[in-house]
């Protein structure tokens, strides 16, 4: 990995085992345990009084938006607790009183720090002053803000071509920061604007754009309450989006049914103990999934094709299973789909799914008589070679049932980070949008590039090949979030300058370019003051609503700066005061930024007033049953091929998952109580019969290898845990297993990595 010119840093961190403890998986989500763990974490990180004050303000109309997931807030949030366990952990993690300053970096070299685990790195606390890692040095040292801005501007001016710079965006940034960042990159001359969507929901955006005309979901939060059926596919709400369970609870109490489609039966979809109800404390809670379909990894298309075949047969008898008026008026491709379905054998489809015939027949009987259907999904559908096709197949089901564009129906991709959808809405995208470019030229006064930029995969490859000199990150932990960790690390190290705008220390601060900058920024929960006056941000939730976010805590340091102000200062340092965009004024006054967003970003209007309180929804053509932008003005029913994996006899299919003590690449703790794993992360979940067949016992140590294009990648030292997972399937935590995901294997058209369907072998140690 290293050359003599590179620092001797580790991209893996510690591979040592801890004292693992196994217990029975917990059969419910939230409840007393959830409250206890939430308060335990925040009290430890923030203190009791700061914790309670902040928790009471989180997700409130005049408070700040949760820094964790993008699940929407209800119209009338609970005044006591509109947050979940993982949201509380995210708050405690961000607002911790532990700080990382110049003294810390003087005493700890990047080489020494790189040997620690991601969990240990995160626990050091908040970054509180700008730091620089000079070429040839292994120690960060302080740098003034002006010095940092001038260094960035100087390096940008050295480039032979603007496309030698990459500007990556994480989903934690605000609309204002993301907008300025995207406009700076364009004004500089590139749309190398990869973002975390490329690694997660890009497949959703592509599939929904192709079939329905907009790359966003069509449901609102209130739609879930009275849906007749909610399908949750490839998603674990109990860990990843816990507040979703409250919406599912309301659906169940109104007579709705829940279908879970996932290789693992996750605790949150078994039972939910709502801590805001007495039943959640001393009662039995609410049973969630009426039907659980333990599908083999990435066999969702055969599953839905089989369900559709059976529904077709019922419809041919009664003519009442599908909404034929809706199909005729709003869709195209129905006859072609029927012809496609007729080509498949039911027994062969059933065998691919790994699901019992009885469970599928029960699902078909439920869907046949329902029309208010919502499909929710996450990475379990998107991160496959056929991720786009997975989603299109579920859209087929909704279109045939007429379950689109009506109350209590529709598509519900559940986004990960809190403003990842907002980033894309305000212009963080690597592809050319002619209308956006025209508005930029008209209202902002400069001509943006009209050639496509680099997405995450393209950025990794370009850095690896030495074609990129500057890599800047607005938040995130790119090294550990991206696929093919060793490949990505080598690419980052090829850069002349890497810049991280961050709140917490992570591995991407340690595996760097020749020169590296850390620019510390304020957190979502902190006050953003300018000249004694408070400022606020706006964000967009997973269902397209834009609202204000106002921090309440004192910033971690007087020497941290807001993201918009950091970007504006970079803009001013590079362009001076002669550019059409007034960077100095924009960094000081966010209302000026919002005015420009309203002018340039599609659907934003009068954001200053409309974003107050509950906020406002951006336009959504599906909700209006407007498909005029699609061929023949119709929603597209599509033909999707079955997945092809061609496993060798000794290969398994591995999916990467989160533990209950993490959010994305941020590790809060080392326990996964829902799955019964404590004080460990280097574990792999395996079917007990599969273990017996190859002579593996509980807690045996294995290396995991993946072989693609004659290249063998290895994740070292994992302990095997017997678990209720379909035979031939494995699961293990990311980012530890991201090293196994080849950078050049990804979803067609979306280029989302295949993190949920990796062909692997196990090598016993």
């Amino acid at each position: 990995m290293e050359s003599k010119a590179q620092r001797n840093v580790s991209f893996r961190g510690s591979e040592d085992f801890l004292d693992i403890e196994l217990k029975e998986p917990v059969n419910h989500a939230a409840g007393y345990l959830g409250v206890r763990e939430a308060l335990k974490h925040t009290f430890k990180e923030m203190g009791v009084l700061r914790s309670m004050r902040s928790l009471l303000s989180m997700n409130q109309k005049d408070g700040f938006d949760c820094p964790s997931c993008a699940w929407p807030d209800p119209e009338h949030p609970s005044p006591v607790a509109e947050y979940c366990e993982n949201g509380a952990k995210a708050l405690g993690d961000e607002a911790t009183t532990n700080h990382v300053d110049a003294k810390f970096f003087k005493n700890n070299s990047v080489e020494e720090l790189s040997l620690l685990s991601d969990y240990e790195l995160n626990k050091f606390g908040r970054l509180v002053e700008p730091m620089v890692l000079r070429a040839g040095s292994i120690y960060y040292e302080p740098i003034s803000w002006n010095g940092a801005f001038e260094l960035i501007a100087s390096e940008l001016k050295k480039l032979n071509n603007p496309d030698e710079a990459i500007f990556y965006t994480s989903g934690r940034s605000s609309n204002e920061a993301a907008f300025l960042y995207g406009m700076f990159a364009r004004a500089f001359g590139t749309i190398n604007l990869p973002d975390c969507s490329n690694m997660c929901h890009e497949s959703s955006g592509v599939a929904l754009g192709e079939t329905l005309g907009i790359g966003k979901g069509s449901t609102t939060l209130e739609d879930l309450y009275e849906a007749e059926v909610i399908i949750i596919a490839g998603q674990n709400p109990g860990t990843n989006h816990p507040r979703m369970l409250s919406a599912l609870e309301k659906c169940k109490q109104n007579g709705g049914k829940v279908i879970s489609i996932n290789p693992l039966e996750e605790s949150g979809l078994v039972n939910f103990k709502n801590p805001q109800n007495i039943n959640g404390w001393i009662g039995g809670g609410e049973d969630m999934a009426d039907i659980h379909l333990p599908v083999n990894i990435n066999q969702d298309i055969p599953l839905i094709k089989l369900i559709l075949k059976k529904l077709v047969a019922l419809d041919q008898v009664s003519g009442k299973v599908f909404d034929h008026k809706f199909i005729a008026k709003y869709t195209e491709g129905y006859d072609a789909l029927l012809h496609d379905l007729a080509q498949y054998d039911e027994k062969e489809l059933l065998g691919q799914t790994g699901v019992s015939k009885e469970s599928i027949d029960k699902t078909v009987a439920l869907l046949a008589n329902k029309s208010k259907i919502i499909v929710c999904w996450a990475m379990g559908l998107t991160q496959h070679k056929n991720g786009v096709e997975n989603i299109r197949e579920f859209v087929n089901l909704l279109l045939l049932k007429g379950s689109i564009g009506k109350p209590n129906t529709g598509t519900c991709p559940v986004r990960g980070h809190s403003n990842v959808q907002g980033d894309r809405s305000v212009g963080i995208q690597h592809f050319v949008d002619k209308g956006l470019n025209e508005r930029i030229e008209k209202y902002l006064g400069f001509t943006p590039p009209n050639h496509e930029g680099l997405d995450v995969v393209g950025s990794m490859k370009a850095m690896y090949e030495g074609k990129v000199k500057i890599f800047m990150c607005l938040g995130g932990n790119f090294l550990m979030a991206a696929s093919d960790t060793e490949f990505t690390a080598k690419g980052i190290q090829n850069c002349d300058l890497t810049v991280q705008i961050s709140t917490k220390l992570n591995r991407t601060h340690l595996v760097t370019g020749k020169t590296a900058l850390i620019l510390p920024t304020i957190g979502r929960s902190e006050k953003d003051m300018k000249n004694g006056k408070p400022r606020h941000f706006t964000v967009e939730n997973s269902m397209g609503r834009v609202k204000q976010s106002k921090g309440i805590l004192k910033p971690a340091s007087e020497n941290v700066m807001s993201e918009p102000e950091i970007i504006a200062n970079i803009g001013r340092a590079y362009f001076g005061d002669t550019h059409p965009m007034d960077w100095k004024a924009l960094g000081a006054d966010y209302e000026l930024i919002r005015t420009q967003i309203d002018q340039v970003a599609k659907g934003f209007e009068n954001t200053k007033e409309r974003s107050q309180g509950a906020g406002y929804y951006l336009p959504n053509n599906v909700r209006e049953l407007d498909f005029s932008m699609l061929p023949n003005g119709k929603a597209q029913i599509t033909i999707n091929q079955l997945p092809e994996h061609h496993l060798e006899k000794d290969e398994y299919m591995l999916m990467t998952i989160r533990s209950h003590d993490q959010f994305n690449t941020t590790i809060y703790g080392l326990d996964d109580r829902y799955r019964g794993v404590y004080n460990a992360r280097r574990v792999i979940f395996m079917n007990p019969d599969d273990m017996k067949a190859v002579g593996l016992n509980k807690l045996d140590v294995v290396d995991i290898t993946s072989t693609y294009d004659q290249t063998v990648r290895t994740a070292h030292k994992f302990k095997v845990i017997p678990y209720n997972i379909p035979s031939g399937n494995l699961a293990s935590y990311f980012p530890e297993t991201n090293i196994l995901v080849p950078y050049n294997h990804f979803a067609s058209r979306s280029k989302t990595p295949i993190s949920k369907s990796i062909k692997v072998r196990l090598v016993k140690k």
Side-chain angles (χ1 to χ4, degrees):
M1 167 181 154
E2 299 110 9
S3 71
K4 291 183 180 180
Q6 291 173 333
R7 302 171 183 95
N8 187 28
V9 293
S10 169
F11 61 85
R12 293 192 181 104
S14 174
E15 293 178 350
D16 292 336
F17 283 123
L18 303 173
D19 295 325
I20 186 173
E21 182 180 0
L22 301 182
K23 299 180 181 180
E24 286 298 313
V26 175
N27 60 6
H28 67 272
Y32 160 74
L33 280 175
V35 174
R36 186 190 71 182
E37 291 301 313
L39 296 181
K40 175 183 173 182
H41 186 90
T42 52
F43 288 177
K44 180 180 178 181
E45 297 291 338
M46 304 172 59
V48 175
L49 293 179
R50 287 179 78 239
S51 294
M52 296 309 300
R53 180 183 172 219
S54 302
L55 289 169
L56 290 172
S57 181
M58 190 158 68
N59 295 324
Q60 299 298 323
K61 291 183 178 180
D62 292 319
F64 61 92
D65 194 61
C66 177
S68 188
C69 80
W71 189 253
D73 304 327
E75 290 277 358
H76 304 288
S78 165
V80 177
E82 194 52 61
Y83 59 87
C84 66
E85 177 186 346
N86 270 19
K89 288 178 179 177
L91 170 64
D93 190 74
E94 173 186 278
T96 179
T97 54
N98 297 322
H99 292 166
V100 177
D101 55 14
K103 182 179 179 180
F104 172 89
F105 283 113
K106 184 177 181 180
N107 294 330
N108 296 277
S109 73
V110 294
E111 293 182 349
E112 293 168 328
L113 290 171
S114 74
L115 298 176
L116 301 177
S117 69
D118 295 275
Y119 169 68
E120 291 170 316
L121 291 175
N122 183 63
K123 281 300 175 184
F124 285 123
R126 284 289 297 279
L127 298 160
V128 293
E129 55 185 308
M131 306 295 295
V132 61
L133 182 64
R134 305 283 183 183
S137 175
I138 59 172
Y139 288 93
Y140 274 101
E141 59 189 68
I143 186 173
S144 69
W145 278 108
N146 284 338
F149 299 140
E150 290 300 328
L151 174 59
I152 295 169
S154 174
E155 291 298 312
L156 287 171
K157 290 174 182 177
K158 291 179 183 178
L159 299 182
N160 296 318
N161 186 308
D163 288 333
E164 291 181 335
I166 291 173
F167 300 88
Y168 171 77
T169 313
S170 147
R172 75 164 294 279
S173 61
S174 64
N175 287 339
E176 290 74 15
F179 177 80
L180 272 194
Y181 194 62
M183 294 309 117
F184 172 77
R186 289 177 173 87
F188 175 66
T190 186
I191 53 170
N192 286 345
L193 286 165
D195 72 323
C196 53
S197 286
N198 298 153
M199 294 184 273
C200 56
H201 266 293
E202 197 72 47
S203 295
S204 300
V206 172
L208 294 174
E210 291 175 352
T211 57
L212 302 175
I214 186 173
K216 300 181 181 182
S218 63
T219 58
T220 67
L221 178 59
E222 291 71 28
D223 283 327
L224 276 75
Y225 299 161
E226 296 186 16
E228 295 176 316
V229 179
I230 298 177
I231 298 173
I232 301 174
Q235 183 198 354
N236 176 14
T239 286
N240 300 334
H241 314 92
R243 285 195 299 145
M244 180 180 179
L245 297 177
S246 297
L248 296 180
E249 180 185 45
K250 291 182 179 180
C251 173
K252 294 280 293 184
Q253 291 172 349
N254 287 329
K257 304 293 184 182
V258 173
I259 300 171
S260 167
I261 301 174
N262 200 48
L264 299 176
E265 186 175 39
E266 303 287 14
S267 299
L269 291 175
V270 175
N271 183 275
F272 171 51
K273 292 188 175 182
N274 190 337
Q276 295 192 22
N277 300 330
I278 189 65
N279 190 41
W281 287 84
I282 61 175
E286 184 77 41
D287 290 338
M288 281 294 168
D290 298 274
I291 302 172
H292 173 60
L293 303 178
V295 65
N296 283 323
I297 291 173
N298 196 27
Q299 296 300 330
D300 301 273
I301 289 179
L303 176 65
I304 300 304
K305 283 189 183 293
L306 180 54
I307 290 171
L308 286 173
K309 275 183 71 73
K310 289 176 174 288
L311 289 172
V312 166
L314 293 175
D315 186 71
Q316 289 173 343
V317 174
S318 69
K320 297 180 179 180
V321 173
F322 297 149
D323 188 336
H324 290 279
K325 290 184 179 179
F326 180 92
I327 293 169
K329 184 175 181 180
Y330 294 109
T331 76
E332 181 175 74
Y334 175 65
D335 291 337
L337 179 65
L338 294 186
H339 181 266
D340 175 69
L341 292 173
Q343 311 305 308
Y344 295 98
D345 179 79
E346 288 192 9
K347 289 184 179 180
E348 291 180 1
L349 292 174
L350 181 65
Q352 284 185 255
T353 69
V355 179
S356 71
K357 181 177 182 299
E358 292 74 19
S359 294
I360 289 177
D361 287 343
K362 185 178 178 182
T363 302
V364 170
L366 175 61
L367 293 174
N369 298 309
K370 305 297 183 182
S371 61
K372 294 181 179 180
I373 302 170
I374 292 173
V375 177
C376 303
W377 70 88
M379 305 302 94
L381 290 191
T382 65
Q383 290 182 327
H384 305 279
K385 174 71 173 177
N386 53 295
V388 173
E389 285 70 23
N390 278 339
I391 295 149
R392 298 200 322 175
E393 198 68 23
F394 278 92
V395 172
N396 284 345
L397 172 63
L398 291 172
L399 289 174
L400 267 57
K401 293 294 298 182
S403 301
I404 286 285
K406 303 173 184 177
N408 316 117
T409 69
T411 56
C412 183
V414 185
R415 306 283 179 170
H417 222 151
S418 57
N419 196 45
V420 61
Q421 187 158 296
D423 289 351
R424 183 59 60 86
S425 294
V426 299
I428 298 298
Q429 58 193 47
H430 63 279
F431 48 87
V432 176
D433 181 327
K434 183 179 178 181
L436 176 64
N437 280 4
E438 290 173 350
R439 293 189 295 274
I440 290 171
E441 192 162 2
K442 178 179 179 180
Y443 293 107
L444 303 188
F446 68 89
T447 301
N450 61 3
H451 61 279
E452 185 167 321
L454 297 174
D455 59 8
V456 165
V457 169
S459 296
M460 293 160 58
K461 185 172 184 289
M463 287 191 288
Y464 186 86
E465 294 173 348
K467 297 177 180 178
V468 171
K469 304 301 181 185
I470 297 177
F471 181 53
M472 188 180 302
C473 293
L474 180 60
N477 182 4
F478 185 86
L479 173 61
M480 303 312 292
S483 59
D484 215 336
T485 314
E486 184 171 1
F487 181 90
T488 304
K490 290 178 180 178
I492 292 172
Q493 290 175 316
N494 283 338
C495 295
D496 289 337
L497 174 68
T498 51
V499 182
Q500 308 290 324
I501 301 173
S502 307
T503 57
K504 301 288 292 293
L505 184 67
N506 64 53
R507 197 163 302 281
T508 313
H509 299 116
L510 310 176
V511 180
T512 71
K514 297 176 182 65
T515 301
L517 283 169
I518 295 175
L519 306 182
T521 188
I522 68 171
R524 186 74 61 82
S525 58
E526 293 172 328
K527 291 180 181 178
D528 183 3
M529 304 292 290
K530 188 69 174 180
N531 299 323
K533 296 181 179 180
R535 301 182 290 189
H536 67 269
F537 304 119
T538 59
V539 294
E540 179 188 348
N541 67 34
S542 190
M543 293 178 178
R545 175 176 268 170
V546 177
K547 61 169 289 188
Q548 296 180 4
S549 178
K550 305 173 185 176
I552 64 166
L553 298 176
K554 182 180 178 180
S557 163
E558 293 182 355
N559 207 18
V560 298
M561 191 178 291
S562 76
E563 289 177 330
E565 199 157 0
I566 291 172
I567 298 159
N569 273 290
I570 294 171
R572 191 182 185 206
Y574 182 82
F575 290 111
D577 294 321
T578 60
H579 192 261
M581 292 182 69
D582 188 340
W583 296 99
K584 181 179 179 180
L586 289 165
D589 187 353
Y590 298 166
E591 293 303 341
L592 295 178
I593 305 176
R594 284 187 276 274
T595 297
Q596 292 190 348
I597 292 175
D598 287 349
Q599 293 171 327
V600 171
K602 188 175 181 180
F604 287 80
E605 184 179 359
N606 195 19
T607 298
K608 178 179 180 180
E609 285 77 25
R610 297 175 71 201
S611 61
Q612 298 179 27
Y616 73 99
Y617 282 107
L618 295 175
N620 189 301
N621 64 281
V622 179
R623 293 173 188 161
E624 305 299 324
L625 287 172
D626 174 16
F627 304 112
S628 57
M629 69 294 298
L630 292 165
N632 299 318
K634 300 290 185 71
Q636 300 295 296
I637 297 172
T638 55
I639 306 301
N640 304 295
Q641 303 302 312
L642 298 181
E644 297 182 3
H645 292 297
H646 305 299
L647 293 174
E648 300 295 333
K649 289 183 179 180
D650 60 343
E651 285 185 318
Y652 302 88
M653 189 61 69
L654 170 72
M655 64 177 184
T656 63
I657 57 175
R658 292 181 188 169
S659 79
H660 192 62
D661 249 356
Q662 76 178 99
F663 181 75
N664 293 342
T665 60
T666 302
I667 313 300
Y668 302 135
L670 298 175
D671 297 341
D672 190 354
R673 73 171 187 274
Y674 285 178
R675 300 188 182 103
V677 180
Y678 295 81
N679 201 40
R681 289 189 54 81
R682 301 191 74 82
V683 300
I684 186 163
F685 299 97
M686 189 173 186
N687 181 286
D689 291 337
D690 289 347
M691 292 174 59
K692 184 178 180 180
V694 295
L696 286 173
N697 298 310
K698 182 170 69 175
L699 299 183
D700 276 352
V701 179
V702 297
D703 286 347
I704 313 170
T705 69
S706 66
T707 305
Y708 287 86
D709 308 317
Q710 290 78 54
T711 299
V712 179
R713 296 167 174 84
T714 304
H716 296 280
K717 297 175 62 176
F718 285 73
K719 289 192 174 182
V720 180
I721 296 178
Y723 205 78
N724 183 19
I725 186 172
S727 178
N729 294 229
L730 303 170
S732 189
Y733 303 133
F734 74 84
E736 290 84 350
T737 48
N738 283 359
I739 190 173
L740 299 167
V741 186
Y743 80 94
N744 57 345
H745 286 256
F746 40 73
S748 300
R749 301 193 299 290
S750 73
K751 294 188 178 179
T752 301
I754 59 167
S755 303
K756 293 292 186 288
S757 53
I758 317 160
K759 295 187 293 185
V760 301
R761 293 180 172 90
L762 302 182
V763 181
K764 188 175 180 179
K765 303 300 289 182

